[in-house]
Amino acid sequence: MLTMATKMRAAVVPAAAQKRAAALREAIETHDHNYYVLDAPTVSDAEYDALYRELQALENEYPALATPDSPTQRVGGAPLPEFATVRHAVPMLSIRTETDTTAAGALQFDARVRRDLGLAPNAPPLEYVAELKFDGLAISLRYEAGRLAVAATRGDGEVGEDVTHNIYTIRAIPRRLRTDKPPVVFEVRGEVYMSRKDFERLNARQLAAGQKSFINPRNTAAGAVRQLDPAMTAQRPLLFFAYGAGETRGWPLPKTHAEVLDTIEKFGLPVNRDRRVAQGAEALMAFYEDIQKRRSALPFEIDGVVYKVNSLALQRELGFVSREPRFAVVHKFPAEEMPTELVAIGVQVGRTGAITPVAKLKPVFVGGVTVTNATLHNEDEVRRKDVRIGDTVIVRRAGDVIPEVVRVLADKRPPRAKAFVMPTKCPECGSAIERLPDEAIARCTGGLVCPAQRKQSLLHFAGRRALDIEGLGDKLVDQLVDDGIVHTPADLYKLDHAQLVGLERMAEKSASNVLAAIEKSKQTTLARFIFALGIRHVGETTAKDLAAHFGSFDALMGADETALLDVHDVGPVLAKAIADFFAEAHNREVIKQLRAAGVHFAEGSPRRAASGAVLGMTFVLTGSLPSLTREEATALIEGNGGKVASSVSKKTDFVVAGDEAGSKLERAQALGVKIIDEAGLNALLSGSASTRESP
Ligand code: IVH
C-alpha cells in the first residue's frame, strides 16, 4: 500500500523522468530476456551496466520510481527472521527414478507406461518429451495477472517456504510475463541452478577472500535460495530452467506437455533447448545416449534425463501411484562421484621421471566403470586436500578423464589415518627423487637407468601418434624390460620370433603380428620420428615444426640453441631441452642404432639450402605480391639459403611488402628494417642487388 506521503512524492516526479525510467526498465528487461532466455545478448556488459546505473540514479533522485518490480530491486531487500510457509495449490511432486543406468532403462519405462495404459504390444509407439534432469532446487513461481507474486520451494510437496524476495534477485526469472494477455494465475515449475563456470568463479573469489569454498553447484544454489537475507542471495550467480506448470487459471490448457513448455518459453522464462519430442522407447534411448555423451560439455551439471508422456490427457489417465506420477520418470546417468576408502598411496613414475602420487582404492563403481586407482596429481595437491591413508574419499571419473580424488570426507577419518610421505628414492630404480625449488613435480633422477621411465619411453615411442607399433602394449613392454630383453627403442628392432614366443601370453600368431608391426614402423615420417624420441616438452606440434624447419634429421641434430630459437614457437626452455637431448651421448647412440636398424623417413627437401644468394638472411612477407604467391616466394627464398619468419623483429633482414601490407610493414618501419618489393626480392635472389646497405 502506498502511503499518502509516497503518493504525494510520486505526484511530483516529472513526466520526463517517469517516461525515461519506464524505457530503461523495459530495455533492461529485454536485455535480461535476450541473455538468460534466448542466450543471445545484444549489448555488452558495459552498455547494460550503463542502463542499470542510469535507472538507479533516477530512482535515487525520485524514490517513488523505485517500484518493487524494478530491475534495480534485484539486489535484495531486508533480511527475514524466518520464511513464511506457502501451501501449493497443485502439489509439487517428485518423480520415480529408473534404477537401470544403461540406455535400457528407457525400455522399462516405456513398457510400464504401455502396460498401465493397457496398450496392445503392436500398438503404435507412444509420444514422449525427453528433457534434462537439472541438478538444483525445485521452485514454483506463481504469476498473478502476469506479475510474479509468490515464489516457493518444494518443501514436503504440499507446503513450501516463501522465498519470493530471494527469487526476485535472479535476473533469469522475469518479474512480469512477456504477454499482453496474461492468465489470471500461471504457476511455472522449474529448477534454480548454478553454472559450472559461475560456481568455479565464486569459489575462486571465496578462496581469494580467505573464505571456505563451496562443495558443488547444487548445494550452493539451494543454499543461496534458502538464505534469510536476500542480499546474500543476490551475490550468488543463480540461473533457472522451467520444466512444467502448476496451477493455471484463465489459460486454455493445451493438449501436450511440449506445448506447455513452448508457452512458458514464449512468456519469457528460460526453458532448456535440449528437449525433444520422442516417438517410442528407441528415441528415448537415443536421447539418453546423446546427452550422456555431451554431459561433461554442458555448462551446468545434470544427473540424468527425464521422460514424460507428451499427451496431457494420457497423463491424467495414467495418474499416480503413492504420489509419484506414472507418466514421468527420472533416468539417471551412472554417478560421476562416489565415496570409497583410500587404502594406500603409491607413486607412479612417468616417462620423464615425473612422480605422481596415486591413491589405491577399495574398488568402487563410478562413471560407469570400476575404479581402483585415482590420481592425486602431485605432493602439494595431497597436502592441500589433506588426503590421508585410511580416509574415505570422494572419487570422480567424468567422461574419459583419468579418475581423481576430489576431497576427503573429514568426519569419516579414522583415528590412525596416516599422512603421505613422498619417497626419497624411486621405487622402480632406487635413484634419488628430486624436486626443484620452484617446481610442483618431483622427479626420479634415474633417467634411462629407471625401468619405469624406460617402459614409458618405449610405450611413447610405439604410440599411435609416434611410430605406431600396434600390439606393443604395456603388458608386453613390462615383460620385455623386466626380462632385460629391451633397454632402448633400438632394441625393439633386434627382437626375433623365438624371443617373443617365449613370453607370457604371446602366441605364434601375435608374435608374428608384433614383428610385422615393428618392421612396418621402420618407414615413418621425420615429424613422427622426432616426436617418438620423447624429448622433454616436444609434443606433436613442435615435432612437426622442427621437421618442417630443418627438413632433415641431421640438420636438427646439428642445430645449436640459437639455431633452434629460430624455429616457429620455440623458446629458450624448449631450445635447451632439445640441445641437451642431442648432446647426451646415450641418446645419440640410440639414434645411430635406430637408423642402422633401418628406421628411415622421407626427408622433405631441406627447406634451407646450404648456399645461395640470400644465405642466412631472414625475410618476412606481408601483403600480396604482384606475381608470386606466398608459397612461391617462400620456396624461392629458402631455395636460395634464406629463411622466412612470420613476425618482424630486429633480426629480420628484409620485409617484402606487397599490396595491402598491414601491421608488419608498420613494425618494419618502426624498427628500421629494410623494406623491399617483389622486384627488389628478385634482384636480391639473382644476386644483382647489394645486400649491404650503401653508406
Ligand atoms: S518434472 C510431475 N522435469 O527432479 C513431474 N523435474 O523428482 C514433476 N527436476 O525435485 C517434476 N529436472 O525439481 C521435472 N526436467 C525436469 C526436471 C525435474 C529436474 C527435479 C525436480 C524434482 C525432481 C523430480
Side-chain angles (χ1 to χ4, degrees):
M1 280 283 269
L2 296 177
T3 63
M4 201 58 197
T6 334
K7 274 188 198 157
M8 285 176 60
R9 254 184 282 129
V12 299
V13 178
Q18 286 188 32
K19 225 173 115 187
R20 182 63 188 151
L24 287 167
R25 234 170 259 158
E26 170 100 29
I28 291 170
E29 282 171 6
T30 303
H31 293 318
D32 282 342
H33 184 252
N34 290 343
Y35 187 90
Y36 291 105
V37 181
L38 306 181
D39 201 11
T42 50
V43 289
S44 67
D45 288 358
E47 287 168 284
Y48 181 94
D49 289 345
L51 295 173
Y52 190 91
R53 275 196 304 273
E54 189 186 342
L55 180 58
Q56 250 178 345
L58 264 178
E59 290 176 347
N60 279 342
E61 198 174 336
Y62 306 107
L65 286 175
T67 54
D69 64 356
S70 170
T72 57
Q73 301 307 299
R74 293 210 190 268
V75 287
L80 300 171
E82 61 176 355
F83 291 119
T85 55
V86 177
R87 177 163 290 277
H88 298 298
V90 172
M92 289 184 78
L93 303 165
S94 61
I95 355 180
R96 162 189 181 131
T97 298
E98 200 61 65
T99 45
D100 187 339
T101 55
T102 71
L107 294 175
Q108 284 146 30
F109 169 64
D110 177 60
R112 234 182 7 255
V113 172
R114 294 174 70 88
R115 191 199 59 209
D116 290 343
L117 286 172
L119 293 181
N122 59 354
L126 277 171
E127 188 168 280
Y128 298 102
V129 176
E131 301 169 20
L132 304 184
K133 161 89 166 65
F134 310 107
D135 208 7
L137 182 73
I139 287 288
S140 180
L141 306 170
R142 187 177 174 91
Y143 288 88
E144 292 176 355
R147 289 183 178 270
L148 180 54
V150 183
T153 61
R154 176 165 171 270
D156 63 4
E158 302 284 342
V159 175
E161 287 171 323
D162 182 341
V163 289
T164 312
H165 290 279
N166 292 344
I167 295 301
Y168 279 167
T169 68
I170 303 177
R171 275 165 54 187
I173 297 177
R175 296 288 291 262
R176 288 183 292 178
L177 296 182
R178 296 177 76 83
T179 166
D180 294 337
K181 292 198 203 67
V184 182
V185 172
F186 192 81
E187 276 184 11
V188 175
R189 301 268 162 95
E191 200 94 347
V192 171
Y193 71 98
M194 197 177 278
S195 77
R196 295 184 212 264
K197 236 204 219 121
D198 285 339
F199 174 75
E200 276 156 27
R201 252 187 242 138
L202 178 65
N203 260 352
R205 272 211 312 261
Q206 290 286 111
L207 219 66
Q211 278 168 329
K212 227 175 89 204
S213 54
F214 294 102
I215 304 254
N216 63 37
R218 188 204 35 201
N219 290 356
T220 315
V225 172
R226 302 189 62 260
Q227 279 283 338
L228 286 166
D229 182 359
M232 290 293 290
T233 313
Q235 287 167 28
R236 302 280 178 260
L238 299 175
L239 296 167
F240 178 80
F241 278 130
Y243 52 64
E247 187 188 18
T248 63
R249 273 196 256 156
W251 180 60
L253 204 64
K255 287 201 165 27
T256 62
H257 175 65
E259 289 168 278
V260 173
L261 294 182
D262 291 346
T263 304
I264 295 175
E265 189 167 42
K266 269 217 307 280
F267 281 170
L269 285 123
V271 184
N272 185 265
R273 284 211 194 106
D274 280 314
R275 59 185 195 268
R276 200 179 297 164
V277 174
Q279 313 291 338
E282 266 95 67
L284 295 181
M285 286 170 69
F287 182 79
Y288 183 85
E289 276 166 351
D290 173 40
I291 300 297
Q292 188 170 12
K293 267 195 225 107
R294 290 166 38 210
R295 179 185 186 184
S296 56
L298 291 174
F300 46 85
E301 287 187 355
I302 58 170
D303 53 355
V305 294
V306 177
Y307 311 133
K308 300 170 185 173
V309 170
N310 196 16
S311 154
L312 298 188
L314 288 181
Q315 285 196 4
R316 274 189 297 274
E317 190 179 329
L318 282 157
F320 303 85
V321 241
S322 58
R323 307 184 41 76
E324 282 179 347
R326 284 199 187 85
F327 56 79
V329 78
V330 170
H331 191 184
K332 288 207 177 170
F333 296 131
E336 289 182 328
E337 288 190 6
M338 288 296 275
T340 190
E341 194 190 316
L342 186 151
V343 289
I345 298 179
V347 297
Q348 213 169 46
V349 188
R351 173 168 59 82
T352 57
I355 303 281
T356 309
V358 177
K360 309 281 170 197
L361 308 165
K362 218 163 127 187
V364 58
F365 192 74
V366 51
V369 299
T370 300
V371 169
T372 50
N373 289 320
T375 180
L376 286 159
H377 300 293
N378 59 53
E379 199 178 356
D380 292 347
E381 278 289 294
V382 179
R383 300 270 169 273
R384 192 177 66 78
K385 292 178 180 154
D386 189 22
V387 177
R388 301 193 200 166
I389 299 150
D391 270 338
T392 297
V393 295
I394 298 292
V395 177
R396 181 174 175 82
R397 181 188 179 270
D400 295 329
V401 183
I402 298 170
E404 60 166 349
V405 170
V406 187
R407 65 194 156 90
V408 169
L409 298 181
D411 52 344
K412 295 234 165 95
R413 172 164 293 164
R416 277 182 302 279
K418 263 195 359 219
F420 165 69
V421 183
M422 178 59 89
T424 52
K425 292 205 170 358
C426 173
E428 302 279 348
C429 69
S431 306
I433 288 179
E434 195 178 79
R435 181 173 163 192
L436 298 176
D438 43 34
E439 277 200 19
I441 306 290
R443 286 178 200 281
C444 159
T445 53
L448 289 173
V449 170
C450 177
Q453 292 188 50
R454 279 213 308 270
K455 287 173 188 172
Q456 294 297 329
S457 307
L458 284 165
L459 286 170
H460 174 82
F461 183 86
R464 204 162 37 79
R465 296 178 304 153
L467 287 218
D468 194 17
I469 305 177
E470 222 184 294
L472 200 75
D474 41 8
K475 295 272 169 339
L476 180 54
V477 166
D478 277 355
Q479 293 187 68
L480 292 172
V481 172
D482 292 343
D483 294 356
I485 302 173
V486 169
H487 295 88
T488 75
D491 296 339
L492 293 171
Y493 297 91
K494 298 171 195 152
L495 285 171
D496 62 36
H497 196 84
Q499 270 174 318
L500 282 177
V501 170
L503 297 172
E504 243 173 76
R505 274 193 284 177
M506 216 3 104
E508 294 274 338
K509 178 87 180 122
S510 22
S512 310
N513 286 347
V514 171
L515 286 177
I518 291 173
E519 186 59 33
K520 194 171 141 214
S521 75
K522 287 181 181 173
Q523 163 77 49
T524 186
T525 66
L526 180 54
R528 275 176 180 269
F529 186 72
I530 296 169
F531 175 63
L533 293 175
I535 305 167
R536 188 107 156 248
H537 310 301
V538 176
E540 233 179 333
T541 310
T542 306
K544 279 184 192 152
D545 287 346
L546 291 168
H549 185 95
F550 290 104
S552 81
F553 193 76
D554 292 330
L556 167 64
M557 214 155 74
D560 60 8
E561 277 176 58
T562 320
L564 286 161
L565 279 171
D566 283 345
V567 182
H568 176 69
D569 277 345
V570 170
V573 174
L574 200 55
K576 180 168 184 328
I578 299 167
D580 285 354
F581 181 90
F582 289 119
E584 177 69 54
H586 167 83
N587 292 333
R588 297 180 87 97
E589 177 58 29
V590 171
I591 290 162
K592 202 173 106 193
Q593 287 181 23
L594 282 168
R595 300 188 73 177
V599 176
H600 64 286
F601 17 82
E603 295 191 316
S605 60
R607 283 257 214 125
R608 276 202 279 170
S611 64
V614 293
L615 185 64
M617 290 178 207
T618 302
F619 293 75
V620 170
L621 305 172
T622 177
S624 51
L625 303 178
S627 64
L628 292 172
T629 65
R630 205 164 266 262
E631 289 68 36
E632 286 165 349
T634 305
L636 275 173
I637 292 168
E638 289 179 347
N640 284 281
K643 194 173 87 126
V644 176
S646 56
S647 60
V648 182
S649 72
K650 281 199 200 129
K651 287 197 252 166
T652 311
D653 293 294
F654 293 96
V655 165
V656 186
D659 278 351
E660 283 164 43
S663 59
K664 288 179 193 167
L665 181 58
E666 284 164 29
R667 188 162 159 76
Q669 283 159 342
L671 291 174
V673 172
K674 275 164 277 180
I675 299 160
I676 55 176
D677 58 8
E678 186 181 303
L681 174 65
N682 283 328
L684 271 180
L685 294 171
S686 64
S688 62
S690 163
T691 58
R692 302 260 167 263
E693 229 169 345
S694 25

